[in-house]
């Protein structure tokens, strides 16, 4: 049981794109444990969505974010075993400042490591929100 009344939180999550690939890492966290998820995290006081995305990308992968665009927003309640959370997630599409940068894993307690995965051949299992987006036909790539 939570001691205080839970409140909705805001997250910023990034589709970092390179060619036809997207950056994913297998989570080590109570929500979505062992699933492949996008980089991102909690919005901190005073941050813009882009500032939050760039900070989380640097903290989680050591990569420097380049241009970013707003994609979509979701509103989701997670009713995991002992943890109940409610997130409004802002999804951005981003490219790297330098496409030759290689992802690192500075938070090995939170992620098994990052890699590029072809959008047409994504790894399984995907984190639930990402899985739902993929199943609904969502495509983060710019229209050509
Ligand atoms: P921490 O340092 O507080 O442990 O984590 P964080 O990096 O700030 O937060 P996070 O748990 O990575 O992301 C915040 C929430 O965003 C997460 O608990 C659930 C939600 N979320 C989604 N989809 C995705 C996704 O694909 N990747 C990530 N990282 N979070 C997602 O709904
Ligand atoms: Mg983080
Ligand atoms: Mg995170």
């Amino acid at each position: 049981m939570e001691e205080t009344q839970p409140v909705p939180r805001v997250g910023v999550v990034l589709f970092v794109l390179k060619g036809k690939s997207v950056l994913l890492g297998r989570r080590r966290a109570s929500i979505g444990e062992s699933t492949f998820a996008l980089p991102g995290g909690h919005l901190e006081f005073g941050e813009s969505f882009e500032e939050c995305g760039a900070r989380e990308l640097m903290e989680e992968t050591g990569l420097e974010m380049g241009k970013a665009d707003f994609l979509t927003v979701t509103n989701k309640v997670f009713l995991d075993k002992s943890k109940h959370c409610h997130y409004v997630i802002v999804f951005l599409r981003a490219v790297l400042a330098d496409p030759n940068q290689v992802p690192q894993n500075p938070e090995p307690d939170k992620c098994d490591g990052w890699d590029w995965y072809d959008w047409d051949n994504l790894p399984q299992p995907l984190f639930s929100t990402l899985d739902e987006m993929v199943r609904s036909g969502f495509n983060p790539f710019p229209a050509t």
Side-chain angles (χ1 to χ4, degrees):
M1 282 282 286
E2 300 257 2
E3 283 180 22
T4 53
Q5 186 71 19
V7 294
R9 300 186 72 187
V10 179
V12 176
V13 166
L14 298 176
F15 285 88
V16 184
L17 306 179
K18 190 162 92 164
K20 293 186 164 201
S21 299
V22 61
L23 187 69
L24 296 173
R26 200 193 278 260
R27 278 170 79 81
R28 289 269 156 260
S30 54
I31 302 180
E33 166 71 25
S34 293
T35 63
F36 287 90
L38 301 159
H42 299 91
L43 186 72
E44 293 185 355
F45 186 87
E47 278 185 325
S48 69
F49 299 142
E50 289 78 8
E51 285 167 347
C52 176
R55 175 183 53 74
E56 286 287 349
L57 185 68
M58 179 58 71
E59 287 174 3
E60 297 184 353
T61 72
L63 297 169
E64 190 182 341
M65 192 181 87
K67 187 178 180 305
D69 306 303
F70 172 79
L71 279 179
T72 190
V73 63
T74 61
N75 181 21
K76 187 168 162 73
V77 177
F78 295 87
L79 298 176
D80 284 29
K81 281 154 248 162
S82 58
K83 199 169 179 186
H84 292 186
C85 306
H86 180 174
Y87 280 105
V88 172
I89 301 289
V90 175
F91 289 87
L92 304 180
R93 163 174 64 213
V95 292
L96 297 182
D98 168 3
N100 296 318
Q101 292 174 95
V102 175
Q104 310 297 315
N105 192 21
E107 298 181 333
D109 53 324
K110 295 183 182 175
C111 179
D112 281 347
W114 299 94
D115 211 341
W116 301 100
Y117 293 90
D118 194 299
W119 184 252
D120 295 325
N121 189 21
L122 292 172
Q124 295 292 334
L126 292 174
F127 188 59
S128 57
T129 45
L130 179 58
D131 193 53
E132 286 162 21
M133 290 168 92
V134 170
R135 285 173 193 274
S136 76
F138 181 83
N139 185 327
F141 291 84
T144 48

